[in-house]
Amino acid sequence: MFELGEEQLNSKEYKQIVNEIDQNIYRDLEEASIKLYYELKKREDYITKLYLSLITNCLFACFTLIVIWI
């Protein structure tokens, strides 16, 4: 592995190697950001559905108590 690294350092310029590393990091970060966005969007949809179901259940319980009380 070290020999391969030495060969690459000797065959390519240092700036080119750094640029390749930067491009790989940028690409990986971009992919991770996209995956995170879709995962958060999915979680947001679940939380919205949870809140809506809690509100409707609360309203149903209130109306049921009003009907029983009257």
Side-chain angles (χ1 to χ4, degrees), residues 11-65:
S11 65
K12 295 182 179 180
E13 292 182 14
Y14 178 73
K15 287 183 179 182
Q16 184 179 2
I17 293 172
V18 171
N19 285 337
E20 288 177 6
I21 292 172
D22 284 346
Q23 289 174 357
N24 289 337
I25 291 173
Y26 177 75
R27 187 187 69 242
D28 291 342
L29 181 63
E30 185 179 24
E31 290 174 5
S33 299
I34 291 170
K35 288 179 183 177
L36 179 64
Y37 170 78
Y38 285 121
E39 194 65 32
L40 289 175
K41 185 71 174 162
K42 200 184 316 181
R43 300 283 187 242
E44 182 182 331
D45 292 341
Y46 290 145
I47 290 173
T48 302
K49 289 176 184 177
L50 173 70
Y51 285 143
L52 286 175
S53 66
L54 288 174
I55 290 169
T56 54
N57 286 334
C58 182
L59 289 175
F60 179 73
C62 290
F63 287 135
T64 304
L65 288 174

